[in-house]
Amino acid sequence: MPLTDPDRLFPVEPTLRGLARALYDSVANLPIISPHGHCDPRWFAENDRFPNPAELFVIPDHYVFRMLVSQGVPMTDLGVPRVDGGATETDPRKIWRCFADHQHLFRATPSAMWLDHSLEHVFGVDVALSPDTANDIYDHIDGKLAAPEFRPRALFESFKIDALATTEGALDDLHWHRQIRESGWKGRVVTTYRPDAVVDPEFEGFADNVAELGRITGEDTSTWAGYLAAHRARRAYFKEFGATASDHGHPTARTEDLPPDAAEALFFKALLGTCTADEADAFRGHMLTEMARMSLEDGLTLQIHPGSRRNHNAAVFARHGRDRGFDIPGRTDYVAALKPLLGAVGMEPGLTIIVFTLDETAYGRELAPLAGAYPALKLGPPWWFFDSYEGIKRFRETTTETCGFYNTAGFNDDTRAFCSIPARHDVSRRSDSAYLANLVATGRLREADAFEVAHDLAYGLAKTAYQL
Amino acid sequence: MPLTDPDRLFPVEPTLRGLARALYDSVANLPIISPHGHCDPRWFAENDRFPNPAELFVIPDHYVFRMLVSQGVPMTDLGVPRVDGGATETDPRKIWRCFADHQHLFRATPSAMWLDHSLEHVFGVDVALSPDTANDIYDHIDGKLAAPEFRPRALFESFKIDALATTEGALDDLHWHRQIRESGWKGRVVTTYRPDAVVDPEFEGFADNVAELGRITGEDTSTWAGYLAAHRARRAYFKEFGATASDHGHPTARTEDLPPDAAEALFFKALLGTCTADEADAFRGHMLTEMARMSLEDGLTLQIHPGSRRNHNAAVFARHGRDRGFDIPGRTDYVAALKPLLGAVGMEPGLTIIVFTLDETAYGRELAPLAGAYPALKLGPPWWFFDSYEGIKRFRETTTETCGFYNTAGFNDDTRAFCSIPARHDVSRRSDSAYLANLVATGRLREADAFEVAHDLAYGLAKTAYQL
Amino acid sequence: MPLTDPDRLFPVEPTLRGLARALYDSVANLPIISPHGHCDPRWFAENDRFPNPAELFVIPDHYVFRMLVSQGVPMTDLGVPRVDGGATETDPRKIWRCFADHQHLFRATPSAMWLDHSLEHVFGVDVALSPDTANDIYDHIDGKLAAPEFRPRALFESFKIDALATTEGALDDLHWHRQIRESGWKGRVVTTYRPDAVVDPEFEGFADNVAELGRITGEDTSTWAGYLAAHRARRAYFKEFGATASDHGHPTARTEDLPPDAAEALFFKALLGTCTADEADAFRGHMLTEMARMSLEDGLTLQIHPGSRRNHNAAVFARHGRDRGFDIPGRTDYVAALKPLLGAVGMEPGLTIIVFTLDETAYGRELAPLAGAYPALKLGPPWWFFDSYEGIKRFRETTTETCGFYNTAGFNDDTRAFCSIPARHDVSRRSDSAYLANLVATGRLREADAFEVAHDLAYGLAKTAYQL
């Protein structure tokens, strides 16, 4: 009996299941376009073996360890590093065992489905992880990781990844990407321009970051014109390493289109560290419009990831730093917030702005109506807590009737858990097949069209939206 | 093979499908009550032939052309008129062909279902619109439009419309309605009192509009008492042409119940054009309560359509004017906003206030609890982006458990696309039948009751709520 | 033919239905844990017969009478008492008949399902309530109520209630609970500490209530330290009568963690009645954190029930007082609101804070992400308008993928309608079984795990979260 049900996520009614299976079969083996994510380019540059199961599945994945933490397991038992360098568990087998002991917490979560898929389809494990099987599975995976076909580049190829985008800060010298390119390896690993540290006045060390941006570009970033020129130069540099997109993670979706002198004045306040919270938000918002204008010149797709309230718990942040599972979605307005940006560039048919959300109430009410009107705007796939069966279902049900399929941008896995990439795309392809099957069987979509749409959702839309 | 699936929108599981079909069959041929919409009364007054397929299906329907615009098709390619009278496509066959070329954009949207239904059931077309079929279908429809049985009055009768309400501004002299009445034709086309232009201080030409209201009613609308008297007179005039309702489209659901002197003071500011945005909103809000008080006297049903942020894109508005698909829903509060109105008249059993929403999050949380308590309040059907299968499903699922069926007001098509009226009512009847079938099969509703409810939802509730 | 469908609420597709039935059968007869509700402890203290069907099913149940009121039935026709002692219907048979005449209003509502279940399973009625059957059913129930096996304690036992929590104000002397304890009866009826009247500066008679709190505890509640000590003493007193939890019903979810001097200053303003609305809200919010700190000492589970806008209609409140069906949910923020509380005590693994919501949009966006991170936080079950099939379905679908099952707290019936307790738990068990069946059949949950989860949802989680 397989670890994963071959018909998982398909509707149960036999007609629907047959249709869903047929749709899925037509896209299951398409190559993967992974246009947004957080894999480490170093893996593909050095191509060293992955160290052990705990470092592959537990320690870097805040969606895994947060669930254990929520039930009282200390982060340090799971090997999460401490900011002060204090003691944290270092025995990967103990960490793995703790993970195994708490498997019931993951019942019916996407994490469980991704784990089972990775165990079975990447590592050939055929029993569920549990306290009883923890050691054997650890040894099994560890043994596999030693083999050449489990090195990062080999896995990349066996996953049939056409293109994988990583995300680097504006100040990154992209040396891992350079090393990949110089290695002669044919895998397409591209970077993404993520300038938060030089765009957000509230980012730690903003003024220093901007100064550094000037240093590495040779522009005078103490002036507004020089600062913008430095962005242009840096975007061009990122494009040399394959970038086709920029990405922006702001707490709100606010955009501004300020007159140049007002923007310049805010920039100086930001450098001096005297922005109020509202001014910092306005500056970030204005920079989205500047980035969109640069996109009109250099063709980068613009991604906006708003609405996460980062580091909700001060004690966890002080002890363990960023990205520890305490980033909580908040209510986000788009209609007023995006108006300045869309007023400036929204009618440009040559531009692609992809908006994500963590506030699902905006899908039907705001985002689908906006994407169904503005040529420049496309909807990103369900993000974070919602890149799951139910999340994808709600996304389709609340957006398709208003903006159709062709104002959406395909699937993103957005992960740093490399081995889960096939699993995540598989969930997306299955969930969309289930949705499409239901449309066909209820007379809302012709069957031949459904096969075309399935292909577009699995492959074509992401390729087009990200120019990959 | 028919263009539309005879079992469309019914659940797939055979027991459910059988039940849904039986429920639908019991209401499919009921006459249509269309108590709220935007058909042009001129059609029925003059009874001229509809000019061509493009003017019937594309140019006036912003839900159609916005989807093409969202993918980069210029509005002028679709014949949308320009404010400056500049060039726009005038060849209806070219516009139709452009529409046909982009049919894939409408996959799984209600627009596609309405089009297929109209093509098949109104015009007898049996193939899908596509680049290959565009010319033949154009010719076919154009030929039909020339025949007497496709004149507006003949279609009205063949659609089995019991009553159709149009919407006219308070200053309209209703001459088309007069012409209909004087023609001796028996079709029941009634008007609706829509006073936005004389109630909203931010409406273009508000003070002039109010002066004109005075002129046509013989009341002194430079005084508060005269202004109210003019509304009363105008409502009475509209009632002569069959009006049973007024309608109010405000950006928010705000209501006020101000003391007369405060209301009067705001009115004077409004006439002088010195209202702040908040004061303008307060005045609109107070006028809803005044309208409700007049409804207590004259019996008109009061409709509130809040929450649309109109003309989101300034360039589109400047070039093409209002109603061009750039009206975007926004978050709307009802609990606090409706409190003044409901405090004033909400417990009146003889009054009917119908509230619509574009913010679906309010259905379960606010609107159903309010409608399930206040005798005067009824919920309007899903509006705009949500008068679709999924929209109707979410409406029923989030309201029925709290306010039942009898605090809702039946279906509205709210359209200016006359030939889509049967299609829209058909979608509503099918969607409700699907919902009811599921209730019966899961033991939540007795089968005999479901047939009664189906009839009420398709016909009885609208007839009662609008006194038609 | 039974009044209730034995397969009600189960999916219709045969595979799913079989699975759901099997899951349900495994939990249907588990004892009931009722950890939060509003039954009157006097019933179990005195063990007198319930007076008549109207006082059992109509007069005390605002979910029943609000639906009739929403259709124009005066509250006084339903025997709802008036604040001024004025006339209200006193003939229970007339009230019952009015209820029967309006049964169609309840179609597809949970009230209808609870009524049918109670009629059939508690009283052995086998026909639906209607105008035709009203008198016979009245006589039948009235006859049963006279029998010893329909006395409160006998019903408690026949309902297989393991533990039932009532809710008493902080000033209650708990004499009914004392009488229950002293009677020697073995039924476990425990109290819950509900201090709103001495915690909310806007509560009628707040300062007097605080003075009374001092009197009954012997603490000087004119000082901040004495006030806190009085709470501690009172919580200890409630624990003597079985309390394992406190409960707090605030209009917002706001929490504060103020420095002691700031808290003290607010307390003095509250006593003087000089708090602004914002200060009153801050004081209530700070008291939640104080209560949580006391919970760390004494182990009481902390329940937060935010978001109800009470007494929406002033006229109804003036005439009939509180709890008359005019409490309307409102939008509630949790991410910012709970941050002070969770910053203070959220990482404590030994503490249990259960948060409820009436704003379902917060489930996926805010509450599940918070509960899936903070060890102290658990999600309460769907509350009020949402403790229904669709409400439970949406709750599971929007929370499980993010926080799993084990950050939720089982079911609450939260009722004052004693005879509906088995019905409500039955709806919960069926709805969860339906949900779990779907997970199993779509490969998202292993079948053996589903049986474990079903047991946890029906029994184990509530027992643990409330330490019952």
Side-chain angles (χ1 to χ4, degrees):
Chain A
M1 189 177 157
L3 191 50
T4 59
D5 181 342
D7 279 337
R8 66 193 174 280
L9 305 185
F10 296 157
V12 179
E13 197 283 325
T15 308
L16 287 170
R17 178 157 287 196
L19 259 168
R21 193 190 290 126
L23 287 159
Y24 171 74
D25 285 346
S26 77
V27 299
N29 294 309
L30 284 175
I32 287 173
I33 302 283
S34 175
H36 178 97
H38 300 274
C39 284
D40 190 341
R42 180 175 182 174
W43 299 332
F44 309 106
E46 302 198 320
N47 203 31
D48 283 342
R49 66 158 276 172
F50 289 107
N52 60 60
E55 290 206 37
L56 203 57
F57 285 105
V58 185
I59 300 171
D61 189 342
H62 48 76
Y63 288 89
V64 165
F65 66 70
R66 79 196 296 276
M67 186 66 99
L68 277 67
V69 168
S70 80
Q71 291 280 315
V73 177
M75 272 195 202
T76 44
D77 283 13
L78 297 163
V80 179
R82 287 170 57 168
V83 167
D84 63 5
T88 193
E89 183 57 58
T90 54
D91 179 346
R93 199 175 284 269
K94 272 197 190 165
I95 294 167
W96 184 255
R97 178 57 199 256
C98 180
F99 178 46
D101 286 350
H102 291 84
Q103 283 301 298
H104 66 289
L105 301 180
F106 296 98
R107 285 172 181 166
T109 67
S111 296
M113 184 165 282
W114 298 331
L115 178 68
D116 283 351
H117 187 284
S118 303
L119 290 180
E120 180 174 8
H121 294 280
V122 181
F123 294 102
V125 173
D126 58 5
V127 294
L129 181 63
S130 73
D132 291 342
T133 62
N135 269 327
D136 287 352
I137 292 177
Y138 185 95
D139 291 335
H140 178 89
I141 295 174
D142 207 44
K144 292 280 190 189
L145 291 176
E149 62 268 33
F150 286 84
R151 293 287 170 102
R153 291 182 187 174
L155 285 176
F156 185 101
E157 286 154 11
S158 74
F159 292 170
K160 292 203 282 180
I161 299 176
D162 249 20
L164 179 135
T166 66
T167 302
E168 273 76 42
L171 305 177
D172 195 293
D173 65 5
L174 307 180
H175 62 283
W176 299 119
H177 282 276
R178 182 182 301 277
Q179 190 170 327
I180 293 168
R181 193 172 64 183
E182 290 173 353
S183 75
W185 178 54
K186 298 285 179 232
R188 187 171 181 194
V189 177
V190 304
T191 185
T192 302
Y193 187 62
R194 174 90 177 220
D196 295 3
V198 292
V199 151
D200 175 3
E202 295 177 325
F203 207 95
E204 301 98 279
F206 172 73
D208 291 344
N209 298 339
V210 172
E212 173 70 5
L213 180 68
R215 204 191 53 73
I216 60 181
T217 57
E219 300 288 346
D220 178 5
T221 55
S222 72
T223 71
W224 175 236
Y227 171 72
L228 294 180
H231 273 294
R232 272 189 205 93
R234 211 62 199 145
R235 292 165 65 103
Y237 183 74
F238 273 61
K239 283 187 73 174
E240 285 178 42
F241 295 93
T244 65
S246 71
D247 183 39
H248 308 271
H250 294 183
T252 73
R254 178 168 177 182
T255 65
E256 293 288 350
D257 184 20
L258 302 171
D261 55 344
E264 185 176 35
L266 272 187
F267 174 61
F268 292 144
K269 290 187 93 165
L271 287 184
L272 291 169
T274 61
C275 279
T276 63
D278 182 66
E279 287 170 337
D281 205 41
F283 185 74
R284 286 187 297 259
H286 178 73
M287 284 308 297
L288 288 177
T289 305
E290 292 291 350
M291 289 288 134
R293 291 214 178 87
M294 292 182 199
S295 285
L296 282 174
E297 298 164 11
D298 64 19
L300 293 188
T301 292
L302 178 79
Q303 300 174 84
I304 307 178
H305 276 90
S308 179
R309 313 297 191 249
R310 306 266 169 181
N311 310 311
H312 193 265
N313 188 270
V316 169
F317 180 64
R319 199 180 223 226
H320 295 286
R322 286 171 173 261
D323 294 328
R324 298 308 184 205
F326 281 76
D327 300 337
I328 310 291
R331 212 183 282 149
T332 304
D333 162 77
Y334 292 88
V335 179
L338 295 180
K339 198 171 178 179
L341 175 70
L342 295 173
V345 300
M347 300 304 291
E348 296 284 350
L351 176 65
T352 302
I353 300 172
I354 301 177
V355 180
F356 294 78
T357 193
L358 293 169
D359 180 356
E360 294 183 296
T361 66
Y363 276 142
R365 185 182 56 214
E366 304 177 25
L367 288 171
L370 287 167
Y374 282 97
L377 197 66
K378 299 282 173 288
L379 300 188
W383 178 34
W384 264 13
F385 296 108
F386 308 115
D387 57 346
S388 54
Y389 174 78
E390 299 289 351
I392 292 169
K393 181 168 180 282
R394 286 196 296 273
F395 171 70
R396 294 289 174 212
E397 288 177 353
T398 52
T399 64
T400 307
E401 293 184 327
T402 296
C403 73
F405 295 108
Y406 295 92
N407 286 303
T408 66
F411 184 67
N412 283 185
D413 52 72
D414 192 18
T415 191
R416 58 197 78 213
F418 182 52
C419 288
S420 76
I421 288 179
R424 289 167 188 253
H425 285 261
D426 188 68
V427 165
S428 169
R429 291 169 182 189
R430 287 173 180 273
S431 301
D432 281 336
S433 296
Y435 173 70
L436 293 171
N438 197 37
L439 293 180
V440 171
T442 56
R444 289 183 276 169
L445 182 65
R446 283 182 252 282
E447 190 167 334
D449 290 352
F451 280 87
E452 254 188 68
V453 172
H455 194 281
D456 289 332
L457 301 184
Y459 185 77
L461 286 172
K463 201 170 165 68
T464 304
Y466 288 90
Q467 313 160 63
L468 282 167
Chain B
M1 190 179 157
L3 191 52
T4 59
D5 181 343
D7 279 338
R8 64 191 176 282
L9 304 185
F10 297 158
V12 180
E13 197 283 325
T15 308
L16 287 169
R17 178 157 285 197
L19 259 169
R21 193 190 291 126
L23 287 160
Y24 170 73
D25 285 346
S26 77
V27 299
N29 294 309
L30 285 176
I32 286 173
I33 301 283
S34 175
H36 177 98
H38 301 274
C39 284
D40 191 341
R42 180 176 182 172
W43 299 332
F44 310 104
E46 303 199 319
N47 202 32
D48 284 342
R49 66 158 276 170
F50 288 108
N52 60 59
E55 290 206 38
L56 203 57
F57 285 105
V58 185
I59 300 171
D61 189 341
H62 49 76
Y63 288 89
V64 165
F65 66 70
R66 79 196 296 278
M67 186 65 99
L68 277 67
V69 167
S70 80
Q71 291 279 314
V73 177
M75 272 194 200
T76 44
D77 284 11
L78 297 163
V80 179
R82 286 170 57 166
V83 168
D84 62 6
T88 192
E89 185 56 59
T90 54
D91 179 348
R93 199 175 285 268
K94 273 198 190 163
I95 294 168
W96 184 255
R97 178 57 199 256
C98 179
F99 178 45
D101 287 349
H102 290 85
Q103 283 301 297
H104 66 288
L105 301 180
F106 296 98
R107 285 172 180 165
T109 67
S111 296
M113 183 164 284
W114 298 331
L115 178 68
D116 283 351
H117 187 285
S118 303
L119 290 180
E120 181 174 8
H121 294 281
V122 180
F123 293 100
V125 173
D126 58 5
V127 294
L129 180 63
S130 73
D132 290 342
T133 63
N135 268 326
D136 286 352
I137 293 177
Y138 185 96
D139 291 334
H140 179 90
I141 296 174
D142 207 44
K144 292 280 190 189
L145 292 176
E149 62 269 33
F150 286 83
R151 293 288 170 102
R153 292 184 186 173
L155 285 176
F156 185 100
E157 286 155 8
S158 74
F159 292 170
K160 294 202 282 181
I161 298 177
D162 248 22
L164 179 135
T166 65
T167 302
E168 274 75 43
L171 305 178
D172 195 293
D173 64 5
L174 306 180
H175 62 282
W176 300 120
H177 282 276
R178 182 181 302 276
Q179 190 171 327
I180 294 169
R181 192 171 66 183
E182 291 174 353
S183 75
W185 178 56
K186 298 286 180 233
R188 187 171 181 195
V189 176
V190 305
T191 185
T192 302
Y193 187 61
R194 174 90 176 219
D196 294 3
V198 292
V199 152
D200 175 5
E202 295 176 326
F203 206 95
E204 301 97 279
F206 172 75
D208 292 343
N209 299 338
V210 171
E212 173 71 5
L213 179 68
R215 204 190 54 73
I216 61 181
T217 57
E219 299 288 344
D220 177 5
T221 55
S222 71
T223 71
W224 175 236
Y227 171 72
L228 294 180
H231 274 293
R232 271 189 205 93
R234 210 63 199 144
R235 292 165 64 102
Y237 183 74
F238 273 61
K239 283 186 73 172
E240 286 177 42
F241 295 93
T244 66
S246 70
D247 183 39
H248 307 271
H250 294 183
T252 72
R254 178 169 176 181
T255 66
E256 293 288 349
D257 184 20
L258 302 170
D261 56 343
E264 185 176 36
L266 271 187
F267 174 62
F268 291 144
K269 290 187 93 165
L271 286 183
L272 291 168
T274 60
C275 279
T276 63
D278 183 66
E279 287 170 337
D281 204 41
F283 185 74
R284 286 187 297 259
H286 178 74
M287 284 308 297
L288 288 176
T289 305
E290 293 291 350
M291 290 288 133
R293 290 213 178 89
M294 292 183 198
S295 285
L296 283 175
E297 299 164 11
D298 64 19
L300 294 188
T301 291
L302 178 79
Q303 301 174 85
I304 306 178
H305 276 91
S308 180
R309 313 298 191 249
R310 306 266 171 183
N311 310 312
H312 193 265
N313 188 270
V316 169
F317 180 65
R319 198 182 224 222
H320 295 287
R322 287 172 173 261
D323 295 327
R324 298 307 183 206
F326 281 77
D327 300 338
I328 311 291
R331 211 183 283 149
T332 305
D333 161 78
Y334 293 88
V335 178
L338 295 180
K339 198 171 178 178
L341 175 71
L342 295 173
V345 299
M347 300 303 292
E348 296 285 349
L351 176 65
T352 301
I353 300 171
I354 301 178
V355 180
F356 295 78
T357 193
L358 293 169
D359 180 357
E360 294 182 296
T361 66
Y363 276 141
R365 184 183 58 215
E366 304 177 25
L367 289 171
L370 287 167
Y374 283 99
L377 197 66
K378 298 282 174 288
L379 300 188
W383 178 34
W384 265 13
F385 296 108
F386 308 115
D387 58 345
S388 54
Y389 174 78
E390 300 288 352
I392 292 169
K393 180 168 182 279
R394 286 196 297 272
F395 171 70
R396 294 289 174 214
E397 288 176 354
T398 52
T399 64
T400 308
E401 294 184 327
T402 296
C403 72
F405 295 108
Y406 295 93
N407 287 303
T408 66
F411 183 68
N412 284 185
D413 52 72
D414 191 19
T415 191
R416 60 197 75 211
F418 181 52
C419 288
S420 76
I421 288 180
R424 288 168 189 254
H425 285 262
D426 187 68
V427 165
S428 170
R429 291 170 183 188
R430 287 173 181 272
S431 301
D432 281 337
S433 297
Y435 173 70
L436 293 171
N438 197 38
L439 292 179
V440 171
T442 56
R444 288 183 277 169
L445 183 65
R446 284 182 252 282
E447 190 167 335
D449 291 351
F451 281 88
E452 253 188 68
V453 172
H455 194 282
D456 290 333
L457 300 184
Y459 186 78
L461 286 171
K463 203 171 164 70
T464 305
Y466 288 90
Q467 314 160 59
L468 283 168
Chain C
M1 189 178 155
L3 191 51
T4 59
D5 180 342
D7 278 337
R8 64 192 175 282
L9 304 186
F10 297 157
V12 180
E13 197 283 324
T15 309
L16 287 170
R17 179 157 285 196
L19 258 169
R21 193 190 290 125
L23 287 159
Y24 171 73
D25 285 345
S26 77
V27 299
N29 295 308
L30 285 175
I32 286 173
I33 301 283
S34 176
H36 177 98
H38 300 273
C39 284
D40 191 341
R42 180 176 182 172
W43 298 333
F44 309 105
E46 302 200 319
N47 203 29
D48 283 342
R49 67 157 275 170
F50 289 108
N52 60 58
E55 290 207 37
L56 203 56
F57 284 104
V58 184
I59 300 170
D61 188 341
H62 48 75
Y63 288 89
V64 165
F65 67 70
R66 77 195 298 277
M67 186 66 98
L68 276 66
V69 168
S70 80
Q71 292 280 314
V73 177
M75 273 194 200
T76 44
D77 283 13
L78 297 163
V80 179
R82 287 172 56 168
V83 167
D84 63 5
T88 193
E89 184 56 60
T90 55
D91 179 346
R93 198 175 284 269
K94 273 197 191 165
I95 294 168
W96 183 254
R97 177 57 199 255
C98 180
F99 178 45
D101 286 349
H102 290 86
Q103 283 301 297
H104 65 289
L105 302 180
F106 296 98
R107 285 171 181 165
T109 66
S111 296
M113 184 165 282
W114 299 331
L115 178 68
D116 283 351
H117 187 284
S118 304
L119 291 180
E120 181 174 9
H121 295 280
V122 181
F123 293 101
V125 173
D126 57 5
V127 294
L129 181 62
S130 73
D132 291 342
T133 62
N135 268 327
D136 286 352
I137 292 177
Y138 185 96
D139 291 335
H140 178 91
I141 295 174
D142 208 44
K144 291 281 190 188
L145 291 176
E149 62 268 33
F150 286 83
R151 293 286 171 103
R153 291 183 186 174
L155 284 177
F156 185 101
E157 286 154 10
S158 75
F159 292 169
K160 292 203 284 181
I161 298 175
D162 248 21
L164 179 135
T166 66
T167 301
E168 274 76 42
L171 305 177
D172 195 295
D173 65 4
L174 306 180
H175 62 281
W176 299 120
H177 281 276
R178 182 182 301 277
Q179 190 171 326
I180 293 169
R181 192 172 65 183
E182 289 174 355
S183 75
W185 177 56
K186 298 286 180 232
R188 186 170 183 195
V189 176
V190 306
T191 185
T192 302
Y193 187 62
R194 174 90 177 218
D196 295 2
V198 291
V199 151
D200 175 4
E202 294 176 325
F203 207 95
E204 301 96 279
F206 172 74
D208 291 344
N209 298 339
V210 171
E212 173 71 4
L213 180 68
R215 205 191 54 71
I216 60 182
T217 57
E219 300 287 346
D220 177 4
T221 55
S222 71
T223 70
W224 175 236
Y227 171 70
L228 294 180
H231 273 293
R232 272 188 205 94
R234 211 62 200 145
R235 292 166 64 101
Y237 183 75
F238 272 62
K239 283 187 73 174
E240 286 177 41
F241 294 93
T244 66
S246 71
D247 183 39
H248 309 270
H250 294 182
T252 72
R254 178 169 176 181
T255 65
E256 293 288 349
D257 184 21
L258 302 170
D261 55 343
E264 184 176 37
L266 271 188
F267 174 63
F268 292 144
K269 290 186 93 165
L271 287 183
L272 292 170
T274 61
C275 278
T276 64
D278 182 65
E279 287 170 337
D281 204 40
F283 185 74
R284 287 188 295 261
H286 178 73
M287 284 308 296
L288 288 176
T289 305
E290 293 291 350
M291 289 289 134
R293 290 215 178 87
M294 292 182 199
S295 285
L296 282 174
E297 298 164 11
D298 65 20
L300 293 188
T301 291
L302 178 79
Q303 300 173 85
I304 307 178
H305 277 90
S308 180
R309 313 297 191 252
R310 307 266 170 183
N311 310 312
H312 192 266
N313 189 270
V316 170
F317 181 64
R319 200 183 222 220
H320 296 286
R322 286 172 173 261
D323 295 327
R324 298 308 184 206
F326 281 77
D327 300 338
I328 311 291
R331 211 183 284 148
T332 305
D333 162 78
Y334 293 88
V335 178
L338 295 180
K339 198 171 177 177
L341 175 70
L342 294 173
V345 300
M347 300 302 292
E348 296 285 349
L351 176 66
T352 302
I353 300 171
I354 301 178
V355 180
F356 295 77
T357 193
L358 292 169
D359 180 357
E360 295 183 296
T361 67
Y363 276 142
R365 185 183 56 215
E366 304 177 25
L367 289 171
L370 288 166
Y374 283 98
L377 197 67
K378 299 280 174 288
L379 300 188
W383 178 34
W384 264 13
F385 296 107
F386 308 115
D387 59 345
S388 54
Y389 174 78
E390 300 288 352
I392 292 169
K393 181 170 180 281
R394 286 195 297 271
F395 171 69
R396 294 288 175 213
E397 287 177 355
T398 52
T399 64
T400 308
E401 293 184 328
T402 295
C403 73
F405 295 108
Y406 294 93
N407 287 303
T408 66
F411 184 69
N412 284 185
D413 53 71
D414 191 18
T415 191
R416 60 197 76 212
F418 181 51
C419 288
S420 76
I421 287 180
R424 289 168 189 254
H425 285 262
D426 188 67
V427 166
S428 170
R429 290 169 184 190
R430 286 173 180 273
S431 302
D432 281 336
S433 296
Y435 173 70
L436 293 171
N438 197 37
L439 293 180
V440 171
T442 55
R444 289 183 277 169
L445 183 65
R446 283 181 253 281
E447 190 166 334
D449 290 352
F451 280 88
E452 254 188 68
V453 172
H455 194 281
D456 290 332
L457 301 184
Y459 187 77
L461 285 172
K463 201 171 165 69
T464 304
Y466 288 90
Q467 313 160 60
L468 284 166

